[in-house]
Amino acid sequence: MCLCGWLWLLCCLHIPGYVWGQSGGGGGACRLMANPISGSVYRAGDVIIGGLFPIHVEAPLPEQEFRSIAGNVTCTIFNQRAYRWLQTMIFAVEEINRDPVLLPNLTLGFLAADTCLAEGTTLGAALAMVTGQEASVADTECGATPEVPVIIGDARSSASIVVAQTLGPFDLPMVSYFASCACLSDNWRYPSFFRTIPSDAFQARGMVRLLHQLGWEWVGLVSGDDDYGKFGVQMLLRDLQGSGVCVAYAEVIPKVLSQRRMKHIVDTIRGSTARVVVTFAIAQDARALMEEVVRQNITDRQWIASEAWVTYSTLSSPKNLPSLAGTIGFALKKAVIPSLGPFLTRLRPDGDYQKSDPFLRELWEEIFGCSLGIDLSMTLSTQRQCTGSEVIGEGESQYADVSQLRASYNVYKAVYAIAHAIQDMVACRPGEGPFNSGQCPDIRKLQPSQIVHYLRGVNFSTPVGDLFHFDMNGDPPASYDIINWHVTPEGKAEFVQVGHFLSSVGVDDQFHINMENVVWGGGSGDEVPVSICSAACPPGTRHAVQKGKPVCCFDCLSCAEGEISNTTGSVECSRCPERFWSNPDRTACVPQLVDFLSYSDTMGVILSFISVSGATLTAGALATFFYHRHTPLVKANNSELSFLLLLSLKLCFLCALVFIGWPKPWTCMLRHTLFGISFVFCISCLLSRTVVVLVAFRATLPGENLMRFFSPTQQRMGISICTLIQVLICVLWLTLAPPRPAERGGREGRGPRVVLECEVGSVVGFSLVLGYIGLLASLCLLLAFLARKLPDNFNEAKFITFSMLIFCAVWISFIPAYVSSPGKYTVAVEIFAILASSFGLLFCLFAPKCFIILLRPERNTKKHMMDK
């Protein structure tokens, strides 16, 4: 774009010092009304490199009423560190000019200006560099190249954005040495912006790695109210997502400082439980924050510093160390630039230096604390006069301190990057150039777009020995030193490197910190500070996030039954595998206890003893009846039916033993079928006896001959038919869905114990077996009830009635008890019902008879049996 376009831009933007007017010839012209550069250092050369440095850090407020012509801007508060950056640029230019290999036939010049750390003055200085300082330029003079085709700067991200947005459309390149905002990596918005400082995106990533490695899950954020702070925190918050680190608060340091606002920020830091504070702010904002921190005597915080202030010596003054000792931060890679120290200390306040450098006087007065002047105000001042013979000692001031050359090294690399780009231009062969028709750039009339093209391809090694290049976004490879603030025995701060973070190597080697060399802040001594919202949950518990709070704030809930957590800080409990269950502490899965009714259990022993006792008593009754089978009492009770009944009762007692022990397929099938057939056989015998008793007494009436239908053969046939029906039901049951062993734990199939039991297989089959037994028992009870009026000395029907009442009562109560009993007690209930009903039948039917046979033999006579 022609120079006329630049002038039009200046006039439209109303940059202080320029006004749009008419030239004598009637054409438009832009006339210089005042010098917009407050202070500058210039040296002529074939190619002039511009430089923007915040030599002062406080600019006057801009005049907003537009009633007067703006004069030269006067800024205050001298910045020694920025002046060292400017001198480093001069040093690099002179070093290149002396180099016989790099640009041997070309002399570099420079024009460095003070930006006053403000966007307006920065833009004004940048535009003044580009357009030159002629008093008046007419629109007919379009076509000249810019006075400064490339600019090194600015130090601030916000100012760099303003300048890059203004000069970017004209392809004028900028190479910043300290603007690290990740937003400036947008190659589409800032196509001509380059920098020698890594993007904050890498620094944010390194901070997240640091927080994660040290276990700091609860942190506070403080940032500056500028693009550096805003975008830095934005990158940090993005990388914190999913990392397990939560933000307790996020405060912003205002540009217009107020005591009330700073007090509020520090009160928030003091009141928070987060002991780690991450700060993304430029040195001046961090200084304002730390002044209030020191004033409130906050000494229990671990500070994480960004590269903008981690090596800022003004902040590390002895008065700040009680609050800031142990600070950890990311710093730009340090380098040792040979001969820079002597170059910085060469300055003398003689006439030649003061004429060429308007900043020298302030530097001298600040370093030596004297007045360098002869005017009356200085003479009357209480401050002593400088002699001019003072000598700047290397390392004795912030300006001459070359122990932490970080941003200075970035300035150094920026100059060399531009020099190598020009060197590549010089090496261009006509006809092989990158521009139209193979053209090469004209070194005497460099166009900004040409420098942009060659800057993208630079790849060189600095005199220090570091390889350097720009990526597609104009960013360099990221390389950070991890700095820790130590306190020397003299009470001074020492910046000690304790680790590094690199982006140009493998992921596993990016981050390293030597924990043994770290001095921790917040009064923690040798212990790593703990910064958590909630203490990690112990084994056996899990996290439960508190409502409305970050995920780092949680309660600890015990794991549910069957679940465990065997590590500290478990987010979830894991379910135990099959055949395992959680221990009482919920910290381990243990094998489930196998539970079944065994012969070794107390209950199993008791039930076995009762079962055997019942079978023994039944055998004794059977022996008694067999021995006295010829007596009237035994004959009157139908000895054959009595023997069959006692045999079935013995089977009923013995079938209970099958229910005890480890369930196996054959025992599961045997226990239910043996139980069902034995009881049907028993009740069939009892039913036959009831019918015989009932018919026998009915047959005594004249004209009745019913006994012919109930002969012993027919009785045996009836018993066989009733039993055979149950056998058929059992055969169908075993064929279609037989009972089988099964495992069960608790009501939901899982529990600390696995219960071995026999599943019925078919509920219908099991119901038919029980239902058939109940049907025969009900029929027997009904017939016995009808025969209750028999003669008193032969009350067989009453005994049958009473026994069946006991039988029915036992099995009716069995149903709810069976359903509600857990585990092995279900089997115990079933055994108890079998034994209870069997004992009821045995005692009701045979105890009175055995009593007469054994103890009252006089009543066991035919005469006694026939008496009414």
Side-chain angles (χ1 to χ4, degrees), residues 256-290:
V256 180
L257 300 176
S258 67
Q259 181 64 27
R260 183 183 63 83
R261 178 60 183 161
M262 297 307 298
K263 184 177 183 301
H264 169 76
I265 294 174
V266 177
D267 287 343
T268 301
I269 295 173
R270 177 193 292 274
S272 174
T273 56
R275 292 192 60 189
V276 176
V277 185
V278 180
T279 56
F280 244 110
I282 62 174
Q284 286 69 32
D285 291 341
R287 181 177 182 179
L289 172 68
M290 297 311 168

Side-chain angles (χ1 to χ4, degrees), residues 266-267 269-270 293-294 296-301 303 322-323:
V266 177
D267 287 343
I269 295 173
R270 177 193 292 274
V293 168
V294 172
Q296 294 195 25
N297 194 28
I298 296 179
T299 59
D300 59 347
R301 292 296 184 269
W303 296 92
S323 297

Side-chain angles (χ1 to χ4, degrees), residues 651-652 655 659 669-684 722-723 725-727 729-730 733 765-766 768-770 772-774 776 807 811 830 834:
L651 291 176
C652 290
C655 78
F659 286 81
M669 290 187 288
L670 182 62
R671 65 171 58 172
H672 288 97
T673 54
L674 183 61
F675 154 71
I677 293 173
S678 298
F679 268 88
V680 165
F681 183 34
C682 177
I683 295 175
S684 297
C722 291
T723 305
I725 294 174
Q726 184 74 311
V727 171
I729 294 174
C730 290
W733 182 15
F766 184 61
L768 287 176
V769 170
L770 291 182
Y772 185 61
I773 295 174
L776 294 181
F807 184 88
W811 285 102
E830 191 169 359
I834 292 172

Side-chain angles (χ1 to χ4, degrees), residues 579 591-596 662 752-756:
R579 303 302 298 267
Q592 290 177 309
L593 298 177
V594 179
D595 195 16
F596 61 93
W662 190 290
R753 296 172 179 268
V754 55
V755 179
L756 298 181

Side-chain angles (χ1 to χ4, degrees), residues 563-578:
E563 296 181 349
I564 66 161
S565 65
N566 53 12
T567 58
T568 301
S570 296
V571 178
E572 294 180 350
C573 299
S574 57
R575 195 167 182 82
C576 289
E578 292 293 330

Side-chain angles (χ1 to χ4, degrees), residues 542-612:
R542 64 174 179 85
H543 291 180
V545 178
Q546 298 175 1
K547 187 176 181 180
K549 293 186 178 181
V551 294
C552 298
C553 301
F554 49 81
D555 298 319
C556 295
L557 300 182
S558 178
C559 293
E561 291 186 352
E563 296 181 349
I564 66 161
S565 65
N566 53 12
T567 58
T568 301
S570 296
V571 178
E572 294 180 350
C573 299
S574 57
R575 195 167 182 82
C576 289
E578 292 293 330
R579 303 302 298 267
F580 286 86
W581 197 251
S582 56
N583 62 356
D585 295 332
R586 309 287 197 272
T587 56
C589 290
V590 295
Q592 290 177 309
L593 298 177
V594 179
D595 195 16
F596 61 93
L597 188 61
S598 67
Y599 289 103
S600 59
D601 290 343
T602 302
M603 186 180 299
V605 171
I606 294 174
L607 292 176
S608 300
F609 176 77
I610 295 174
S611 175
V612 173

Side-chain angles (χ1 to χ4, degrees), residues 302-528:
Q302 173 68 57
W303 296 92
I304 307 298
S306 62
E307 98 290 340
W309 67 274
V310 68
T311 56
Y312 188 41
S313 58
T314 302
L315 275 176
S316 60
S317 60
K319 70 173 184 178
N320 293 344
L321 290 182
S323 297
L324 299 181
T327 294
I328 301 176
F330 290 79
L332 304 174
K333 185 178 179 181
K334 184 176 70 171
V336 177
I337 303 177
S339 304
L340 178 61
F343 181 84
L344 295 177
T345 59
R346 81 194 187 288
L347 299 178
R348 295 293 181 273
D350 55 23
D352 293 336
Y353 271 114
Q354 288 206 54
K355 289 179 182 179
S356 61
D357 189 344
F359 311 116
L360 181 57
R361 175 176 174 174
E362 289 183 83
L363 172 70
W364 207 267
E365 292 178 348
E366 182 161 321
I367 290 178
F368 298 107
C370 59
S371 296
L372 189 63
I374 57 174
D375 57 282
L376 183 60
S377 60
M378 292 295 182
T379 305
L380 298 178
S381 173
T382 57
Q383 194 174 26
R384 68 181 181 86
Q385 291 293 312
C386 298
T387 63
S389 60
E390 295 89 355
V391 177
I392 299 176
E394 187 173 326
E396 295 180 357
S397 61
Q398 187 180 14
Y399 162 73
D401 183 8
V402 293
S403 64
Q404 299 290 331
L405 295 179
R406 301 179 188 276
S408 299
Y409 184 47
N410 285 347
V411 175
Y412 186 76
K413 289 186 290 187
V415 177
Y416 268 88
I418 295 171
H420 278 275
I422 300 174
Q423 176 74 9
D424 293 339
M425 293 180 179
V426 174
C428 178
R429 295 181 180 179
E432 299 179 3
F435 308 113
N436 294 335
S437 303
Q439 293 181 358
C440 292
D442 184 355
I443 301 301
R444 303 300 172 180
K445 296 182 179 180
L446 286 179
Q447 296 298 322
S449 59
Q450 296 172 342
I451 301 179
V452 170
H453 174 82
Y454 279 94
L455 275 174
R456 294 189 185 282
V458 294
N459 195 333
F460 63 94
S461 177
T462 67
V464 176
D466 294 331
L467 295 176
F468 184 84
H469 69 277
F470 295 112
D471 63 14
M472 60 181 298
N473 296 318
D475 294 331
S479 177
Y480 292 97
D481 294 337
I482 300 178
I483 298 300
N484 185 216
W485 287 20
H486 290 197
V487 180
T488 64
E490 295 78 19
K492 296 181 179 180
E494 180 182 5
F495 303 137
V496 179
Q497 180 179 345
V498 294
H500 63 263
F501 177 66
L502 306 175
S503 68
S504 57
V505 295
V507 175
D508 294 337
D509 298 327
Q510 278 189 341
F511 184 90
H512 172 73
I513 183 170
N514 189 349
M515 303 288 286
E516 297 180 355
N517 293 342
V518 177
V519 173
W520 305 105
S524 300
D526 296 333
E527 298 292 331
V528 180

